[in-house]
Amino acid sequence: QLSAKKTHSVLPKAFGVGMHDRDSGRDYVKHLAFANDPLPTGERTLPAETIRHDQTEVLIQLYEQAGTVASEEPSANNPLDDGSGRITGIPPQPADTFAKIDIALSIDEDGLLQLHATERSTGHKLVIKVTVGLSTEQIGHALDAVSKISVSG
């Protein structure tokens, strides 16, 4: 019986955080949640560091997969926020030492994405909340496709 089957909501796209590789100078997106991951995702964590030892603030940028495949390339992802997510007041570190940032991302069953970032030495926090999911157009296409399916018993 098809009606007895339990369904689960899944993510339509991958979601991640903009990162910078200190050694290569390359910017990239580190995805923490991927297309078809079941909702809720549970908490996904990512340890990070500042780029320079004298850095006193850090920008946290959320991204959504733009194409059909998740890519680390920033140009293949869409920013989900306006780029104003910053942790400030980070004390300068000794040479060759970098401030530690703990990043946690979760998405609940209703598509509420929450990112929490905490700088370890000060406890300064940043919280970003964004609702993610299918657009009205995508939902219309899905409903149209489902309406064309016939099940015979």
Side-chain angles (χ1 to χ4, degrees):
Q1 284 268 11
L2 187 59
S3 62
K5 299 281 184 184
K6 183 169 171 81
T7 61
H8 298 279
S9 295
V10 297
L11 285 176
K13 298 181 178 190
F15 297 90
V17 178
M19 303 293 286
H20 181 83
D21 185 301
R22 186 175 33 247
D23 297 325
S24 70
R26 181 177 79 92
D27 291 327
Y28 66 99
V29 175
K30 176 67 177 173
H31 291 104
L32 298 174
F34 296 88
N36 296 317
D37 280 356
L39 294 176
T41 62
E43 188 173 271
R44 315 271 173 97
T45 59
L46 175 67
E49 296 180 333
T50 53
I51 298 167
R52 299 180 325 272
H53 71 90
D54 61 345
Q55 189 172 339
T56 59
E57 70 176 36
V58 65
L59 169 69
I60 308 286
Q61 179 88 48
L62 273 172
Y63 285 91
E64 172 186 53
Q65 167 190 336
T68 57
V69 178
S71 171
E72 286 189 342
E73 291 302 316
S75 61
N77 293 274
N78 294 322
L80 278 181
D81 56 356
D82 63 5
S84 63
R86 296 181 188 277
I87 297 178
T88 60
I90 300 171
Q93 304 295 305
D96 298 321
T97 306
F98 305 95
K100 309 283 190 230
I101 313 290
D102 294 320
I103 298 172
L105 180 141
S106 65
I107 306 172
D108 71 14
E109 59 278 346
D110 295 320
L112 178 63
L113 183 154
Q114 294 190 63
L115 179 134
H116 295 262
T118 306
E119 195 278 321
R120 287 185 197 168
S121 72
T122 63
H124 291 179
K125 295 180 188 295
L126 169 70
V127 177
I128 299 172
K129 295 180 181 182
V130 179
T131 301
V132 300
L134 296 174
S135 69
T136 303
E137 182 181 346
Q138 291 169 318
I139 292 171
H141 287 300
L143 290 173
D144 185 49
V146 169
S147 70
K148 295 176 183 174
I149 297 172
S150 65
V151 179
S152 59

